[in-house]
Amino acid sequence: MTAFSQVGATIAGRVFQIRQTLPPSVRLIAVSKQVSIAAMREAYAAGIRDFGESRVQEAEEKRLQLRDLPDITWHLIGHLQSNKVQRALEVFHWIHSVDSLKLAERLNRYAAGYEQRPRICLQVKLLPDPNKQGWSVGDLLTDLSQLDQLEHLEICGLMTILPLGLSEAEKLEAFLQTRNLADSICQKDWQRIQVKELSMGMSNDYTIAVQAGATMVRLGRILFGDRP
Ligand SMILES: *Cc1c(COP(=O)(O)O)cnc(C)c1O
C-alpha cells in the first residue's frame, strides 16, 4: 500500500475529497489508463465526465464498452504515433500531448474531414527531460507562427509533465514558468492560437499545479489506486 491507495475508501469518496480541494473552474480529468471499466463507471457515477487515456487502442475499446454514457469527454494524454492520428481523432475530443510541429500538421490534415475541430494542447518541457516528449520553450516560440496556420485544429493551451525528483519549490517554479509562457504567448496577436488552458498536475503535484494556475489536472493513482 502506498499513500495514494489510502486516501478515501472508495473511488466516489476520493472523487468527492479531491473535488473539494479544487477550485470549481479546474477540470478534473480522471486518468483511467489500465483502470477497469467497473472502476470507470464508479467514477462516472461520482460525477466524473472527463477521462484521460494514454493509448489509442485502449481508449477505443473503453469507449465502445461505455457507449451507454455518451456525455464523457475523452482526453488523449500520452504520446501519439503518427500512424494512429486518424484513429485518435475518432476517439478523443481533446489531445493534450501534441509534441511536435510535424504531428500538429498531420493532425490538421486529417482533422479537415471532421465537423468538430479537435481541441489540442501543445506539450512543453520547461526543464530538459530525456524521458519526455515535447517542445523546449525556444523551439515552441519558433514554431508558433506555423502552428497558427493550422486551420482545422483548435489550439487551446499548454500541457506539461515535470521531470521526477524535483523539490516542491522547483515544481512550483516550473509550473509558474509554464503559466508565464502561456501568458506571453497570449499577448501576441494570433489568428487562431489560444492558450487559455493549462493542463498540468498529476497525483503527486496537482496541488502545486493548481496554485500556479492549472485549469486541467490529470489524476490517476490518487483516484483509482496504484496501477499494476
Ligand atoms: C499517467 C499519467 C497521468 C496520471 O498520473 P498519476 O500519477 O497516476 O496521477 C497524468 N498525465 C500523464 C501524461 C500520464 O501519463
Side-chain angles (χ1 to χ4, degrees):
M1 294 271 274
T2 72
F4 289 135
S5 28
Q6 291 163 18
V7 185
T10 61
I11 291 169
R14 288 176 224 153
V15 168
F16 180 74
Q17 270 183 1
I18 289 165
R19 253 278 145 241
Q20 278 193 317
T21 68
L22 293 175
S25 59
V26 172
R27 196 192 282 232
L28 169 53
I29 300 172
V31 174
S32 47
K33 59 189 182 197
Q34 298 172 58
V35 166
S36 72
I37 293 290
M40 290 175 74
R41 286 189 183 277
E42 256 183 89
Y44 182 92
I48 293 288
R49 292 295 178 271
D50 293 273
F51 287 98
E53 290 282 341
S54 291
R55 303 180 60 181
V56 175
Q57 180 162 347
E58 185 175 342
E60 281 172 340
E61 290 164 6
K62 285 175 167 173
R63 237 194 118 151
L64 204 62
Q65 294 183 68
L66 294 172
R67 63 185 177 279
D68 56 313
L69 309 176
D71 59 343
I72 292 176
T73 299
W74 294 87
H75 301 257
L76 177 63
I77 60 168
H79 176 63
L80 176 57
Q81 291 169 294
S82 58
N83 61 348
K84 294 194 180 144
V85 159
Q86 187 164 20
R87 284 164 62 197
L89 287 171
E90 271 158 31
V91 181
F92 294 102
H93 304 94
W94 279 83
I95 301 176
H96 293 233
S97 42
V98 178
D99 52 21
S100 71
L101 180 59
K102 219 173 146 200
L103 176 60
E105 287 173 338
R106 196 174 169 87
L107 279 162
N108 185 60
R109 277 200 300 280
Y110 280 95
Y114 291 80
E115 207 164 299
Q116 177 75 51
R117 286 185 300 171
R119 278 168 265 175
I120 72 165
C121 295
L122 306 171
Q123 184 173 347
V124 284
K125 285 198 287 198
L126 271 291
L127 299 161
D129 184 348
N131 300 316
K132 289 284 178 289
Q133 317 278 340
W135 273 277
S136 68
V137 174
D139 290 345
L140 179 63
L141 294 176
T142 305
D143 286 347
L144 280 176
S145 56
Q146 287 179 79
L147 289 164
D148 198 36
Q149 306 299 312
L150 305 178
E151 69 271 38
H152 303 299
L153 303 181
E154 200 162 320
I155 297 179
C156 299
L158 302 182
M159 186 272 237
T160 200
I161 308 172
L162 299 188
L164 296 173
L166 300 183
S167 70
E168 306 278 287
E170 289 165 333
K171 288 178 187 175
L172 181 60
E173 178 60 28
F175 286 138
L176 285 172
Q177 280 178 18
T178 311
R179 184 221 179 126
N180 290 340
L181 175 62
D183 288 347
S184 72
I185 293 172
C186 280
Q187 275 162 19
K188 281 229 194 149
D189 228 355
W190 302 105
Q191 277 191 70
R192 299 190 177 81
I193 292 177
Q194 297 208 27
V195 283
K196 289 195 212 132
E197 302 288 345
L198 287 173
S199 169
M200 54 190 201
M202 311 180 16
S203 293
N204 59 9
D205 57 17
Y206 75 98
T207 51
I208 306 172
V210 168
Q211 244 179 287
T215 64
M216 302 195 272
V217 293
R218 310 178 307 267
L219 305 184
R221 290 173 294 152
I222 202 169
L223 293 176
F224 296 113
D226 286 329
R227 290 178 289 272

